[in-house]
Amino acid sequence: MGIFARDESRTTSAASRIARQATASLAGVLAGQGKTRSDLAAAMGVSPGRVSQIMSGDANLTVRTLAAVAEALDADVQITFCPRGQSTDTKARRSTGSSPIQSSGHPAHH
């Protein structure tokens, strides 16, 4: 039995939700920095198509991919687990005064 066998459909749904949150935050950081997807691709040393895959929210975003994006944007990534019913963004804003993913001290714009 794999680690996701208990309820694979819930795990898949949660993974999709997390990917959408990450890509929405990433889009906000890009906009906040005045950068395009092409700028991100150049900074990462990947094709614009790869950035499109990342930004689609459908890609299986690995920690390595998130780290590569963060490094290319000179940004930090924060991953926070919190009880259900309390959004990660809300909890992070309460504790830090900003969004979970930020760049150069400027909160991501959603």
Side-chain angles (χ1 to χ4, degrees), residues 13-52:
S13 177
S16 294
R17 184 179 62 254
I18 292 165
R20 285 190 307 272
Q21 289 170 350
T23 57
S25 182
L26 172 55
V29 170
L30 282 173
Q33 290 186 359
K35 294 184 179 177
T36 65
R37 290 178 179 200
S38 294
D39 295 331
L40 177 57
M44 291 179 69
V46 300
S47 71
R50 176 63 184 133
V51 170
S52 289

Side-chain angles (χ1 to χ4, degrees), residues 67-78:
V69 169
E71 288 303 309
L73 294 175
D74 192 29
D76 292 321
V77 176
Q78 296 178 356

